[in-house]
Amino acid sequence: MAEDVAVVGWAQTVHSHEMARRTDLGLAYSVVNAALDSCGLSIGDIEVVIDAGSDFLDGRGISNCVAADALGAHLKEESKVAGDGLLAAIYAYMRLRTGMFSTALVVAYGKSSQSGPSAQSRSMAEPFYTRPLGLDALAAAALQARSYTRHYGVDGSAPARVAVKNRAAGVENPHAQLRTAVSLGEVLGSREVAPPIRELEAGPVSDGACALVMTEGSVARALRARPAWLVGVGMCTDPYFLGSRDLQRCTPAAKAARSAYRQAGVFDPGRDLDLVELSEPYAYQELMLCEALGLCDEGEGADLLASGTTTRDGGLPVNVSGGVTCANPLVATGLVRLAEAAAQVTGRAGPLQVRDAKRALAHSSGGLAMQTAACAVVER
Amino acid sequence: MKTSDATHDRRPLEPPELVYLKGETRCHYTWSTGEVVGSFLGALRDHARILGAVCSGCGRVAVPPLSYCEECCSAMEDYREVGPRGVVMSWTRVAAGFPDAPLPAPFRYVLVKLAGADTSLLHLAPDDERVVVGATLHPEFRKVRRGAITDIKWFVPDESAEERTREQ
Ligand SMILES: [Zn+2]
């Protein structure tokens, strides 16, 4: 058993709506060596590769058969997660904790420009009850947004204010796709793409990739004076069918966070965390997630936002990177959150650096309307 | 397509324009809907009636039915007729059409909790301002039904269903 596991290296692409100069695997490959370089390891030092990709986005079944070579997995143990990259990082964490491996490479990539996000999310729909109705991720989120905002009487402008906050933060993020601020008037005046969700409350769709190097404690200490220790993880899933869920609460995120907090010794997340990186492709989700993660009481996400606590200069910044509002490389999104969190707690976040950040939470969601959640806590 | 016999030309190549390839994944499926889903779809087709499944463990009535209970993992083997009326729990509007859309846009998606059900059914509704949370809706079945969730055309506000009945 390995007691400690750390994130020692990371790299992400500059996400954009179409990265035509690279294939999907070219995207993934581009971050592999960059992540290794960032911590002074070479591919020969890596013992296990865990990757996250989408067969549908790639247009190939069991796509890691083709992908493994691009990920440096030549004659190594390699295994794929068909889900967000943060899950891949958690799988790597568990492998390292067993003591059977001391180094791992985690890679997540998604090239949505090849097919289109609506087609991708419709392909996820089960074929008997959902697919004939054509439900996509946006419409599913809209059904959740209405359930949540109506149940708690959330002001209709609160999600728009989330988008304004995150777009302002994204201006400073060199990896973001959208780096321009928007005004509240612009967001409120944007088209209702699926009411109550407005166009500027939805993140973009991006091509992008992210890679992390993770090691057990002794390797991490040898490589870095200050590694990002992965001290708590959690995962949870809700039922698939929207009508079988409590759409007013994000219970999977709450349970995943509780598990991560317990392991990390986080008792009061509002005080014990220095920043939070969330995966919220739609702005209302940040409000729900702040509640689920215990950053505020149930139904008070909009009040937390209004208090200024979650802005860059507030007591608990949420999405100082601009979050998914500013870049959404499907499948890589959650791993990017962990890379951002690791950069923050090790003082390497550059223009995004939150002063004196010691402990951070990274979150990912998957499926329609945040069906699944994963959380990881890193600290220095 | 370009053809060339200039294979002996050793001048450096200009960086090419990017080359795009188009393709699709074609795979036709014949899904057996199994006993439970099949019972639901058969009842829609043959009787224009809506069945829920009753959990043998927790008693929950799930609509649409599955062979397993999502909450307690017990088997769902009994059926109970539900609805046909239901209450809107949430809705959104689809403004623009898309390939294989179930209805011409605009239309609404609704989550409808049918009478006697413990879960809500995802379905369709007209883009009618009366389709809001709390409204009671009524299914409109298609005349020609083939055993699909779309054998219910959509759920309409109660009033208009009655109006339609009167008109007929
Ligand atoms: Zn049950």
Side-chain angles (χ1 to χ4, degrees), chain A residues 358-370:
Chain A
K358 295 187 193 70
R359 193 186 280 150
L361 179 136
H363 156 270
S364 79
S365 65
L368 298 175
M370 304 192 288

Side-chain angles (χ1 to χ4, degrees), chain A residues 335-360:
Chain A
L335 195 62
V336 170
R337 309 274 73 75
L338 181 55
E340 295 286 356
Q344 288 283 357
V345 299
T346 54
R348 301 163 77 97
L352 300 176
Q353 187 64 49
V354 171
R355 207 161 55 86
D356 212 23
K358 295 187 193 70
R359 193 186 280 150

Side-chain angles (χ1 to χ4, degrees), chain A residues 191-229:
Chain A
R191 198 164 50 96
E192 276 195 321
V193 283
I197 297 177
R198 302 177 185 91
E199 189 170 14
L200 291 179
E201 293 168 3
V205 175
S206 318
D207 289 356
C210 182
L212 251 59
V213 178
M214 295 167 58
T215 70
E216 60 84 26
S218 62
V219 177
R221 286 184 193 92
L223 283 172
R224 286 255 197 230
R226 187 189 272 179
W229 297 105

Side-chain angles (χ1 to χ4, degrees), chain B residues 141-168:
Chain B
F141 287 91
R142 293 189 186 274
K143 282 215 176 67
V144 178
R145 299 187 296 274
R146 53 187 190 87
I149 188 72
T150 46
D151 284 352
I152 302 171
K153 180 186 175 187
W154 54 14
F155 282 80
V156 294
D158 248 12
E159 201 185 328
S160 68
E162 282 156 18
E163 278 165 14
R164 260 165 248 251
T165 312
R166 270 202 306 276
E167 281 164 18
Q168 279 166 4

Side-chain angles (χ1 to χ4, degrees), chain B residues 55-60 69 71-74 76:
Chain B
C55 176
S56 60
C58 68
R60 193 169 152 270
C69 175
E71 289 191 4
C72 78
C73 206
S74 301
M76 294 211 146

Side-chain angles (χ1 to χ4, degrees), chain A residues 279-311:
Chain A
S279 295
E280 28 48 295
Y282 304 100
Y284 76 91
Q285 295 178 345
E286 182 169 312
L287 306 173
M288 290 185 79
L289 288 167
C290 285
E291 298 170 22
L293 268 48
L295 310 186
C296 61
D297 283 342
E298 186 178 324
E300 295 182 3
D303 304 296
L304 181 72
L305 176 75
S307 73
T309 304
T310 57
T311 60

Side-chain angles (χ1 to χ4, degrees), chain A:
Chain A
M1 276 283 290
E3 285 304 315
D4 304 317
V5 169
V7 180
V8 295
W10 51 85
Q12 58 179 301
T13 52
V14 175
H15 314 298
S16 81
H17 78 284
E18 188 192 359
M19 299 177 80
R21 297 217 155 260
R22 293 187 195 277
T23 63
D24 44 21
L25 298 182
L27 277 183
Y29 175 68
S30 73
V31 289
V32 166
N33 284 315
L36 290 166
D37 288 347
S38 77
C39 59
L41 288 181
S42 66
I43 194 65
D45 299 317
I46 296 297
E47 294 169 355
V48 58
V49 176
I50 312 288
D51 42 298
S54 159
D55 286 5
F56 191 89
L57 290 184
D58 293 351
R60 305 183 293 268
I62 315 182
S63 71
N64 53 324
C65 292
V66 184
D69 298 338
L71 310 179
H74 181 66
L75 296 181
K76 296 186 201 299
E77 172 168 324
E78 179 272 348
S79 159
K80 174 188 164 174
V81 174
D84 187 89
L86 187 57
L87 299 177
I90 293 176
Y91 290 10
Y93 165 82
M94 290 173 175
R95 273 177 166 73
L96 293 166
R97 283 295 305 272
T98 64
M100 293 172 66
F101 303 94
S102 55
T103 57
L105 175 68
V106 180
V107 190
Y109 66 96
K111 198 175 180 203
S112 295
S113 65
Q114 295 181 143
S115 53
S118 224
Q120 200 268 347
S121 61
R122 287 191 183 108
S123 80
M124 284 165 56
E126 60 75 37
F128 304 141
Y129 298 138
T130 314
R131 201 180 298 187
L133 303 177
L135 189 78
D136 68 356
L138 172 64
L143 291 167
Q144 183 179 48
R146 188 177 304 283
S147 291
Y148 164 71
T149 54
R150 199 173 183 285
H151 182 75
Y152 293 107
V154 177
D155 185 272
S157 72
R161 291 171 199 278
V162 171
V164 170
K165 170 182 76 72
N166 291 345
R167 287 290 294 270
V171 171
E172 303 296 327
N173 182 351
H175 299 105
Q177 175 177 339
L178 302 179
R179 297 192 64 188
T180 51
V182 292
S183 69
L184 182 61
E186 283 174 277
V187 182
L188 290 173
S190 65
R191 198 164 50 96
E192 276 195 321
V193 283
I197 297 177
R198 302 177 185 91
E199 189 170 14
L200 291 179
E201 293 168 3
V205 175
S206 318
D207 289 356
C210 182
L212 251 59
V213 178
M214 295 167 58
T215 70
E216 60 84 26
S218 62
V219 177
R221 286 184 193 92
L223 283 172
R224 286 255 197 230
R226 187 189 272 179
W229 297 105
L230 189 41
V231 290
V233 299
M235 301 185 276
C236 185
T237 184
D238 228 0
Y240 169 79
F241 288 100
L242 298 178
S244 299
R245 292 190 217 164
D246 175 0
L247 282 181
Q248 294 149 7
R249 290 169 199 85
C250 194
T251 310
K255 296 195 86 167
R258 209 176 306 148
S259 161
Y261 291 160
R262 196 183 316 116
Q263 295 160 35
V266 169
F267 303 105
D268 176 357
R271 190 174 317 160
D272 297 346
L273 296 173
D274 298 312
L275 71 127
V276 170
E277 281 283 325
L278 299 175
S279 295
E280 28 48 295
Y282 304 100
Y284 76 91
Q285 295 178 345
E286 182 169 312
L287 306 173
M288 290 185 79
L289 288 167
C290 285
E291 298 170 22
L293 268 48
L295 310 186
C296 61
D297 283 342
E298 186 178 324
E300 295 182 3
D303 304 296
L304 181 72
L305 176 75
S307 73
T309 304
T310 57
T311 60
R312 189 198 162 95
D313 303 319
L316 181 54
V318 173
N319 290 330
V320 279
S321 65
V324 185
T325 311
C326 300
N328 188 17
L330 298 181
V331 181
T333 300
L335 195 62
V336 170
R337 309 274 73 75
L338 181 55
E340 295 286 356
Q344 288 283 357
V345 299
T346 54
R348 301 163 77 97
L352 300 176
Q353 187 64 49
V354 171
R355 207 161 55 86
D356 212 23
K358 295 187 193 70
R359 193 186 280 150
L361 179 136
H363 156 270
S364 79
S365 65
L368 298 175
M370 304 192 288
Q371 182 195 354
T372 68
C375 289
V377 175
V378 282
E379 67 182 29
R380 73 183 191 206

